[in-house]
Amino acid sequence: MKGGFIMLTLFHFILGLCLGSFIVCTAERLSSNQPVWGTQRSICPNCRHQLRAWQLIPLLGVLLQRGRCHDCQQPIPLQSSLVEGLCGVLVATSPGPLTTALPLIIGYLVLIFNSLTDYLNYDVYPLTLITPAVLGLWQQRPNLDIGFYILLVLIVTLYLLARLTPTFGLGDVDVLLMLGCLATANAILTSLALASTAALVFFILGSSKRRLPFVPFISWGFILVTQLVGPT
C-alpha cells in the first residue's frame, strides 16, 4: 500500500512537471508573439541554438546541464525550473483523489499561466479561466453568506475601477470571478488581502514605480491560503 502511494505521488509529480513545462513554453511564446504549436523546438535565449530533446526534460534537463547551456555555457534562467517544480508539487500534494481536486488543480495551473503572461506582457487570457470555473461550480455551489456578498460588492467595485481608470485591469477581475467558483468567499478575501499587502510592499521597495502585474500576487495569495487551510 505504501509503495503504491509513493508511486502514485511520483506519477502526479512528474505529470505536474510536464504541465508546468508546457505552461512556461506557452506563456513565453504567446508573450513574444511566437506560434504556440510550432514544430520547431525551443531555443537557448543566449546562443539561439535549438535545444535537444534531453535538454527539454523538465528539471532533469537543467540538472544534466548543471544550470548552464550545453552549447554556450551561459546560466539558464531559473524561472522555468521554479514553475515546473511548483506545478509538480501542487499536483502531487493535491488533497484527496485527483478527480475530486481536479477543479482546484486546473485552477492553480491556469493561475500560474496567467501570472506568467501578466508578468511578461500584462496579458490575461479569460478563455483559460472558463474550464476551472465551470468545474468548480459543477462540484459545489457558492455559499450565499455575508462573505459572498462582500466579495460580490468588491468585484463590482473593482470592475468599475477597471473600466474607469487604468489602475486595475479587467483581467484581474476575471481571475477573481474564477476564484469565486473554486473556493469560499472568505478564502478569496483572505487571499486578496495577502496579495494586496505583498503588492504594496513590492511597490514601495521597488526601484521603479511602473505598473505592477497583480495576477501573480493574487495567485500567490490564493495558492498559499488554499494549501494551508483549504478552499473552504
Side-chain angles (χ1 to χ4, degrees):
M1 181 68 70
K2 186 176 180 180
F5 174 77
I6 293 176
M7 290 299 295
L8 184 61
T9 302
L10 180 60
F11 169 75
H12 287 166
F13 180 71
I14 294 174
L15 175 62
L17 290 181
C18 295
L19 291 172
S21 179
F22 173 75
I23 285 171
V24 173
C25 179
T26 303
E28 290 181 345
R29 289 190 177 190
L30 285 173
S31 298
S32 58
N33 295 318
Q34 298 179 18
V36 175
W37 304 108
T39 56
Q40 184 178 12
R41 293 195 299 269
S42 300
I43 61 175
C44 171
N46 295 301
C47 65
R48 315 300 293 179
H49 189 95
Q50 189 177 52
L51 301 181
R52 302 163 183 84
W54 64 269
Q55 292 175 283
L56 296 171
I57 301 175
L59 281 187
L60 185 59
V62 175
L63 292 176
L64 290 174
Q65 297 176 89
R66 299 182 180 181
R68 293 182 176 274
C69 174
H70 178 74
D71 297 285
C72 66
Q73 295 301 307
Q74 289 298 311
I76 299 174
L78 292 178
Q79 174 180 288
S80 298
S81 298
L82 291 175
V83 172
E84 291 167 359
L86 175 61
C87 292
V89 170
L90 291 175
V91 175
T93 59
S94 59
L98 189 61
T99 53
T100 303
L102 189 61
L104 189 61
I105 292 175
I106 296 178
Y108 286 156
L109 298 177
V110 167
L111 282 175
I112 293 171
F113 167 76
N114 283 285
S115 294
L116 288 172
T117 57
D118 194 27
Y119 173 76
L120 293 171
N121 210 30
Y122 296 114
D123 282 330
V124 174
Y125 293 83
L127 287 178
T128 63
L129 309 173
I130 295 176
T131 298
V134 171
L135 290 176
L137 286 176
W138 176 74
Q139 191 175 77
Q140 63 179 6
R141 299 293 184 270
N143 186 14
L144 303 181
D145 56 6
I146 183 63
F148 173 83
Y149 293 106
I150 292 175
L151 179 62
L152 183 61
V153 171
L154 179 61
I155 289 177
V156 172
T157 302
L158 293 176
Y159 173 79
L160 294 175
L161 187 65
R163 295 290 295 182
L164 298 175
T165 71
T167 305
F168 205 79
L170 283 172
D172 303 326
V173 179
D174 293 333
V175 169
L176 287 176
L177 287 172
M178 182 199 73
L179 298 186
C181 302
L182 295 173
T184 63
N186 290 334
I188 298 168
L189 290 171
T190 304
S191 305
L192 191 56
L194 290 174
S196 301
T197 302
L200 181 61
V201 171
F202 268 76
F203 181 77
I204 293 174
L205 298 180
S207 56
S208 64
K209 300 302 181 182
R210 67 184 184 90
R211 174 189 168 195
L212 279 178
F214 194 55
V215 174
F217 294 102
I218 298 177
S219 303
W220 167 79
F222 183 76
I223 292 173
L224 183 64
V225 169
T226 53
Q227 283 291 299
L228 292 179
V229 301
T232 58

